[in-house]
Amino acid sequence: MSDPTRARRASSFGSRAAAYAEHRPDYPRAAIEWGLSGATGTPRRVLDLGAGTGKLTLGLTELGLDVTAVEPDPEMRAELARRVPSATSLAGRAERIPVPDAEVDAVFVGQAFHWFDVPAAMTEIGRVLRPGGVLVPMWNYEDESVPWVAEFTELGRDGARKPASTDDLRAVAHPAFEPFDDERFHHVQRRTAESLLETIATYSLVIVSDPAESSALLTRLREFLAANPATANGEFDLPLVTWGLRARRR
């Protein structure tokens, strides 16, 4: 992907901020607790970096944590502030975090780490994390071990798959951090065909594509869901996987 295309996709979500907040899945509590358990001591001050509309922020606040959410897009940040008013919401980006040195016990990143300049971001994350704190990138994606889900995501091309670039992130090394470990958590999201299509319409490749191409894609997916026995009749459970990485600050 060329840098201009990548940058356009990375900054595209604000145009669909309300739909993103409404339809994107949340993160299972077990995955969040696993991430927190990687820190030494008991984490209390947590940063949600690239927080979007607060899908992960909300899960962190529900654990009683003191959460600061940093997000560059003003439309996404406005949704976050509206939906998670208990979190402190700040404008900023991963490569320049508006937080003092050693200020937080954990940094979570939901669905955004692959958009960062990773070496620069990890240096900056290392600055704001206390020693023994933990960095936890996470991704939700559709569970392709389920046959109909695999067929659906293949038909949709972009699907909700974890971005291919994340496969390399497990091996990322940075002097401020111990090596990443990883874990997967299965969960579901209650959907209808139309709400699932609304979710697909918030994916960056769909947002930036020619409208005729996006419309044709959504039509193909709608026809598949109407013909598929698991999804043809009202509500259904969409199988999901949350994949988490975890690295402790040295």
Side-chain angles (χ1 to χ4, degrees):
M1 188 190 307
S2 69
D3 285 344
T5 301
R6 184 178 187 279
R8 186 179 172 215
R9 287 181 62 178
S11 62
S12 67
F13 299 105
S15 65
R16 299 300 312 276
Y20 193 109
E22 181 69 23
H23 297 294
R24 286 289 187 114
D26 58 8
Y27 295 83
R29 183 182 181 121
I32 296 173
E33 291 178 338
W34 170 84
L36 292 168
S37 71
T40 58
T42 301
R44 301 191 183 281
R45 297 167 302 169
V46 178
L47 173 64
D48 185 5
L49 187 56
T53 62
K55 305 302 293 191
L56 181 51
T57 317
L58 180 60
L60 292 165
T61 62
E62 287 174 344
L63 292 176
L65 299 164
D66 178 2
V67 183
T68 298
V70 171
E71 166 58 37
D73 188 290
E75 293 170 296
M76 300 286 273
R77 201 167 58 251
E79 282 291 330
L80 188 156
R82 184 170 71 84
R83 291 172 181 267
V84 197
S86 61
T88 300
S89 176
L90 300 175
R93 57 186 62 251
E95 300 80 12
R96 191 170 183 179
I97 302 170
V99 170
D101 295 357
E103 178 74 5
V104 298
D105 305 312
V107 175
F108 279 73
V109 185
Q111 224 75 16
F113 195 69
H114 57 286
W115 295 119
F116 298 168
D117 176 345
V118 171
M122 288 187 72
T123 296
E124 183 69 345
I125 292 166
R127 179 185 67 78
V128 304
L129 263 178
R130 65 161 172 82
V134 67
L135 166 62
V136 188
M138 288 185 172
W139 292 264
N140 279 319
Y141 59 98
E142 293 169 350
D143 185 355
E144 294 186 43
S145 70
V146 178
W148 78 260
V149 176
E151 188 175 353
F152 178 78
T153 56
E154 182 61 30
L155 184 65
R157 296 191 305 276
D158 192 39
R161 299 169 175 171
K162 71 182 192 310
S165 59
T166 63
D167 291 331
D168 301 326
L169 294 175
R170 207 170 1 209
V172 166
H174 189 282
F177 289 90
E178 296 175 4
F180 279 114
D181 61 345
D182 71 299
E183 189 60 82
R184 286 171 171 79
F185 300 85
H186 291 269
H187 63 125
V188 298
Q189 184 184 26
R190 197 68 176 162
R191 301 272 69 184
T192 64
E194 285 306 313
S195 68
L196 179 51
L197 292 171
E198 288 285 350
T199 307
I200 300 298
T202 69
Y203 297 152
S204 61
L205 186 61
V206 179
I207 296 171
V208 304
S209 292
D210 179 272
E213 293 180 6
S214 296
S215 178
L217 168 65
L218 294 173
T219 296
R220 290 199 306 273
L221 295 176
R222 181 176 286 107
E223 290 170 351
F224 173 88
L225 294 170
N228 176 41
T231 57
N233 299 302
E235 292 189 338
F236 56 89
D237 284 336
L238 175 66
L240 297 168
V241 174
T242 296
W243 183 53
L245 296 176
R246 184 177 66 179
R248 185 180 292 116
R249 175 75 165 89
R250 296 187 191 277

